[in-house]
């Protein structure tokens, strides 16, 4: 005979699922993916290990769900803003609009979910640095399509810059985005209090303007002229 779940049990499950997600996100962001076990997550969530496997099957499935719940809304908003940016006719204005379409959702998405923003950005940075194959596949699955769309849009705005240079510069943008979200206090400290690193509006403007300037820099093969060989005078 199949045991039916009571209303009390049914009501409890979504709360337990959220508790497991929150615990896993905090542990992954602090310790990395490899060092955290299902038992660690269950203990932090006040659950038993069977609850973790019931809701998410595996630790891999749990990490994938964390990425989906944060990045789904963020990628959707980026796509909406990118579509509007691509309609801008002036190439200079379009480039800025495209960069802004990428940057803004990363800052604003933190308010969509409790503990989002800096914590999830820290998790992303840890996952990228850890080199775990599971995390690498999840990151590619979650972001590659959106990243290609932005790289192509930037290339359309800067057709004279090779796409490979744009890929490098978008890579640097991602690193700057990580660092701006995870360690904003550094800006406040090094500016001796004259700038507030925790001011998202200012952070967005600073990052957008710096990134636009970086994308507009000459292509690498144009920026570094070939060194001329010294002229050797022959004595007669």
């Amino acid at each position: 005979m199949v045991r039916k779940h009571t209303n009390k049990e049914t009501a409890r499950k979504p709360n337990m699922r959220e508790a497991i997600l929150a615990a896993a996100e905090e542990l992954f962001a602090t310790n990395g993916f490899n060092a955290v076990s299902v038992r660690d997550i269950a203990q932090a969530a006040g659950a038993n290990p069977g609850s973790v496997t019931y809701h998410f099957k595996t630790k891999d499935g749990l990490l994938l769900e964390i990425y989906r719940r944060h990045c789904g809304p963020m990628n959707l908003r980026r796509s909406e803003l990118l579509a509007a940016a691509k309609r801008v006719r002036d190439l200079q204005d379009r480039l800025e609009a495209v960069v802004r379409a990428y940057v803004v959702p990363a800052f604003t998405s933190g308010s969509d979910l409790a503990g989002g923003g800096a914590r999830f950005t820290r998790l992303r940075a840890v996952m990228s640095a850890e080199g775990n194959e599971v995390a690498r596949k999840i990151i590619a699955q979650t972001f590659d399509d959106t990243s290609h769309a932005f790289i192509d849009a930037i290339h359309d705005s800067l057709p004279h810059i090779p796409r490979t240079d744009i890929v490098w510069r978008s890579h640097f943008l991602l690193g700057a985005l990580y660092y701006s979200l995870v360690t904003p206090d550094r800006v406040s400290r090094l500016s001796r209090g004259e700038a507030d690193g925790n001011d998202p509006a200012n952070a967005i403007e600073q990052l957008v303007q710096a990134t636009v300037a970086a994308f507009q820099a000459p292509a690498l093969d144009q920026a570094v002229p070939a060194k001329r060989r010294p002229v050797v005078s022959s004595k007669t």
Side-chain angles (χ1 to χ4, degrees):
M1 181 178 178
V2 178
R3 178 177 175 270
K4 294 182 179 180
H5 297 293
T6 66
N7 290 337
K8 185 177 181 180
E9 288 173 321
T10 303
R12 186 187 300 133
K13 281 185 179 178
N15 296 332
M16 181 55 68
R17 189 176 190 277
E18 290 301 311
I20 292 169
L21 278 168
E25 187 176 327
E26 181 63 36
L27 289 172
F28 291 155
T30 304
N31 303 313
F33 183 78
N34 296 331
V36 176
S37 68
V38 169
R39 186 173 296 278
D40 293 332
I41 296 167
Q43 184 176 4
N48 60 67
S51 296
V52 178
T53 55
Y54 173 81
H55 287 289
F56 303 101
K57 307 300 182 187
T58 64
K59 191 172 73 165
D60 300 358
L62 183 50
L63 182 62
L64 177 59
E65 181 60 25
I66 291 171
Y67 268 81
R68 280 176 175 168
R69 74 198 298 258
H70 282 288
C71 300
M74 182 168 66
N75 283 339
L76 178 61
R77 184 58 179 152
R78 277 177 169 167
S79 296
E80 293 170 348
L81 293 175
L82 179 60
K86 289 167 69 174
R87 293 194 291 269
V88 177
R89 291 188 177 184
D90 181 82
L91 293 183
Q92 168 73 23
D93 293 341
R94 185 195 304 170
L95 175 62
E96 181 173 330
V98 169
V99 172
R100 193 178 301 279
Y102 185 84
V103 170
V104 168
F107 281 85
T108 57
S109 64
S111 62
D112 296 339
L113 294 164
R119 185 175 69 187
F120 179 63
T121 303
R122 186 170 68 247
L123 183 149
R124 289 175 61 193
V126 170
M127 294 298 103
S128 297
E130 195 173 45
N132 180 276
E133 186 60 29
V134 171
R136 189 169 14 250
K137 289 180 179 178
I138 289 174
I139 292 168
Q141 177 182 338
T142 305
F143 288 110
D144 276 8
D145 288 345
T146 304
S147 297
H148 278 298
F150 273 92
I151 290 167
D152 290 342
I154 292 168
H155 194 209
D156 288 342
S157 301
L158 297 167
H160 60 289
I161 303 293
R163 192 177 187 278
T164 51
D165 285 22
I166 292 172
V167 169
W168 273 110
R169 295 170 192 186
S170 67
H171 190 62
F172 302 148
L173 165 59
L174 183 59
L177 188 58
Y178 282 161
Y179 211 64
S180 299
L181 285 165
V182 174
T183 59
D185 292 340
R186 187 173 186 272
V187 172
S188 304
R189 187 177 72 253
L190 293 182
S191 67
R192 297 189 173 96
E194 293 184 10
D196 181 5
N198 288 289
D199 178 357
N202 192 30
I204 289 169
E205 289 306 314
Q206 293 284 357
L207 186 52
V208 167
Q209 296 306 319
T211 301
V212 167
F215 276 126
Q216 291 177 319
L220 188 61
D221 59 354
Q222 299 170 0
V224 184
K227 293 182 179 179
R228 296 180 179 178
R229 293 182 180 180
V231 178
V232 178
S233 60
S234 59
K235 295 182 180 180
T236 56

